[in-house]
């Protein structure tokens, strides 16, 4: 059965017709006209997902298959690919969590097609309050290549990315080994000085994790690790665009500095996608999820307890606040993160898996999906 999608290209607004057959892109052609305000582009890639809809990649499950619901829920919001993100924990628990994702992929074909890598966030981060964020202090440590190599083997090659702080002795050599092994190194949760950040970039670090978050509440005006990462031309950066983690004007500045190297992540925790209310969280204890989507410590609205958004909400925040036009916002959530791992990725290449979205742009509301295809199969959503 063949599926045809007609709309404007997310890249440049040109009118396209895409034919999909047997799960692959069969043909792409330009057409004279297309329905007004309909856009076509690739599915989104979210390289930082801790959990979603009450399910947590950082908790051992009695039923591993339950975690497959994360892929299904994220698909309904356009995320056709994502990285389960495992944060700082004991070496043994980290191993178990990695093996749990590997087992899930072997048991659930749809989850396997959606989970394109694992992101290890920690434990090689700053031990300081502020930069450490909500990570367990007792498990923070300096880089250990033997330990990380063990995790790589346990992941069966699925670990594609690590967030670390280059403030530790031995960080440069560790980053070089990661780069040689094809692991993307991202700087985050850091208290590194300017020299350490520059040396990390020289060694192969290519990204900053949720830039502007995971920091001290007050930093020196200069020098500081924020300026150093902004100034590093070879560093791309991810941001959380939910309206709570970063003010709109900060995103404007980051966009001007990083330009095409800036991209979106959700950094969603397990409570993302849940109804508003008070909850007991594995990290943070008692927390409140507001109707607006802000997740904060109970009784303390000024202290965030994680991100409760999905990546579509990040795109729509950019659109509603005139922080990006539709082509740029879509690229920030799709081709930009993908090209960190596949530099020559072409979203409309003939013969590749048909992970596509047909959407309508609604003034002041953002994107409304008409179709989401995963491997050419239409995904049901509300």
């Amino acid at each position: 059965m063949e599926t045809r999608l007609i709309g404007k290209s997310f890249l440049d607004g040109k009118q396209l017709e895409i034919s999909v057959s047997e799960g692959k892109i069969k043909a792409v052609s330009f057409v004279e006209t297309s329905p007004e305000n309909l856009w076509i582009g690739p599915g989104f890639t979210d390289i930082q997902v801790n959990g979603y809809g009450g399910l947590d990649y950082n908790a051992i499950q009695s039923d591993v298959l339950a975690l497959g619901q994360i892929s299904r829920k994220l698909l309904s919001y356009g995320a056709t690919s994502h990285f389960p993100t495992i944060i700082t924990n004991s070496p043994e628990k980290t191993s178990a969590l990695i093996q749990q994702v590997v087992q899930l992929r072997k048991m659930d074909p749809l989850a396997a097609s959606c989970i394109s890598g694992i992101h290890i966030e920690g434990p090689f981060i700053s031990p300081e309050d502020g930069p450490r964020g909500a990570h367990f202090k007792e498990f923070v440590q300096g880089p250990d290549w033997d330990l990380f190599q063990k995790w790589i083997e346990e992941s069966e090659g699925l670990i594609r990315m690590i967030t670390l702080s280059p403030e530790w002795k031995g960080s440069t050599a560790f980053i070089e080994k990661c780069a040689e092994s094809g692991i993307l190194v991202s700087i985050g949760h850091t208290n590194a000085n300017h020299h350490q950040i520059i040396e990390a970039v020289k060694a192969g670090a290519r990204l900053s994790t949720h830039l502007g978050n995971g920091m001290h509440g007050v930093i020196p005006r200069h020098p500081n690790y924020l300026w150093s990462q902004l100034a590093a031309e070879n560093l791309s950066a991810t941001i959380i665009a939910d309206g709570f983690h970063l003010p709109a004007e900060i995103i404007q500045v980051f966009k001007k500095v990083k330009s095409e190297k800036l991209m979106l992540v959700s950094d969603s925790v397990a409570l993302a996608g849940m109804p508003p209310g008070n909850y007991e969280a594995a990290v943070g204890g008692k927390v409140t999820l507001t109707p607006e989507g802000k997740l904060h410590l109970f009784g303390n609205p000024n202290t965030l307890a994680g991100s409760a958004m999905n990546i579509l909400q990040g795109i729509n925040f950019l659109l509603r606040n005139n922080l990006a036009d539709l082509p740029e916002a879509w690229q920030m959530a799709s081709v930009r993160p993908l090209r960190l791992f596949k530099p020559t990725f072409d979203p409309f290449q003939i013969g590749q898996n048909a992970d596509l979205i047909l959407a309508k742009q609604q003034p002041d509301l953002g994107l409304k999906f008409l179709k989401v295809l995963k491997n050419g199969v239409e995904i049901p959503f509300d």
Side-chain angles (χ1 to χ4, degrees), residues 223-237:
N224 62 58
Y225 45 77
L226 180 59
W227 288 124
S228 297
Q229 290 177 82
L230 283 170
E233 292 188 7
N234 291 334
L235 277 184
S236 299

Side-chain angles (χ1 to χ4, degrees), residues 18-290:
I18 300 179
S19 297
V20 173
S21 180
E22 297 180 348
K24 308 287 185 182
I25 295 176
K26 182 180 178 181
V28 179
S29 58
F30 293 104
V31 294
E32 291 297 322
T33 59
S34 65
E36 188 177 357
N37 279 334
L38 290 193
W39 294 77
I40 302 174
F44 310 139
T45 292
D46 190 345
I47 59 174
Q48 194 164 3
V49 174
N50 305 286
Y52 197 83
L55 294 158
D56 195 343
Y57 283 125
N58 288 277
I60 298 298
Q61 307 292 319
S62 57
D63 178 10
V64 173
L65 282 172
L67 286 175
Q69 290 304 310
I70 295 178
S71 292
R72 288 162 176 81
K73 291 174 187 291
L74 294 183
L75 275 172
S76 69
Y77 296 105
T80 53
S81 173
H82 72 276
F83 283 20
T85 299
I86 296 172
I87 70 168
T88 302
N89 217 310
S90 70
E92 298 76 20
K93 181 75 173 290
T94 300
S95 289
L97 294 169
I98 290 168
Q99 291 167 15
Q100 182 171 254
V101 174
V102 171
Q103 185 182 2
L104 169 65
R105 292 179 83 249
K106 291 177 178 178
M107 297 170 66
D108 185 335
L110 181 60
S113 70
C114 293
I115 295 171
S116 49
I118 290 176
H119 174 181
I120 303 294
E121 188 184 5
F124 316 132
I125 58 172
S126 178
E128 288 206 10
D129 291 348
R132 191 182 72 256
H135 290 237
F136 296 115
K137 186 173 184 176
E138 62 266 35
F139 299 127
V140 172
Q141 64 171 89
D144 182 333
W145 178 249
D146 290 338
L147 175 60
F148 189 56
Q149 198 170 35
K150 175 176 179 287
W151 290 339
I152 293 172
E153 291 170 0
E154 290 169 343
S155 78
E156 300 182 9
L158 194 60
I159 292 176
R160 304 293 308 282
M161 175 178 174
I162 182 169
T163 291
L164 55 74
S165 172
E167 68 196 69
W168 295 93
K169 182 179 179 180
S171 293
T172 300
F174 182 88
I175 292 168
E176 288 173 344
K177 289 178 180 177
C178 286
E180 290 168 4
S181 301
I183 306 292
L184 174 72
V185 175
S186 187
I187 298 172
H189 292 281
T190 186
N191 189 38
N193 61 37
H194 181 73
H195 175 75
Q196 290 167 332
I197 288 172
I198 296 307
E199 289 303 305
V201 175
K202 287 180 181 178
R206 295 194 288 127
L207 187 67
S208 294
T209 292
H210 51 51
L211 189 63
N213 295 114
M215 296 174 54
H216 293 99
V218 178
I219 56 176
R221 61 179 179 173
H222 53 72
N224 62 58
Y225 45 77
L226 180 59
W227 288 124
S228 297
Q229 290 177 82
L230 283 170
E233 292 188 7
N234 291 334
L235 277 184
S236 299
T238 66
I239 58 169
I240 306 168
D242 61 354
F244 308 115
H245 280 78
L246 293 174
E249 64 271 21
I250 298 298
I251 295 176
Q252 285 180 304
V253 172
F254 286 1
K255 280 183 74 262
K256 288 178 180 178
V257 176
K258 290 299 181 183
S259 187
E260 293 183 0
K261 290 182 178 291
L262 191 67
M263 57 203 73
L264 290 175
V265 291
S266 70
D267 198 15
S268 62
V269 298
L271 290 175
M274 296 293 283
N278 296 321
Y279 293 90
E280 192 71 32
V283 177
K286 199 166 185 181
V287 298
T288 298
L289 178 59
T290 71

Side-chain angles (χ1 to χ4, degrees), residues 257-326:
V257 176
K258 290 299 181 183
S259 187
E260 293 183 0
K261 290 182 178 291
L262 191 67
M263 57 203 73
L264 290 175
V265 291
S266 70
D267 198 15
S268 62
V269 298
L271 290 175
M274 296 293 283
N278 296 321
Y279 293 90
E280 192 71 32
V283 177
K286 199 166 185 181
V287 298
T288 298
L289 178 59
T290 71
E292 296 76 29
K294 182 178 183 179
L295 184 64
H296 62 78
L297 295 183
F298 179 77
N300 187 355
N302 294 323
T303 303
L304 295 175
S307 164
M309 81 167 195
N310 56 59
I311 204 160
L312 174 61
Q313 290 171 311
I315 290 173
N316 286 340
F317 178 82
L318 296 180
L319 296 177
R320 286 196 309 271
N321 290 277
N322 298 312
L323 295 169
D325 60 15
L326 181 56

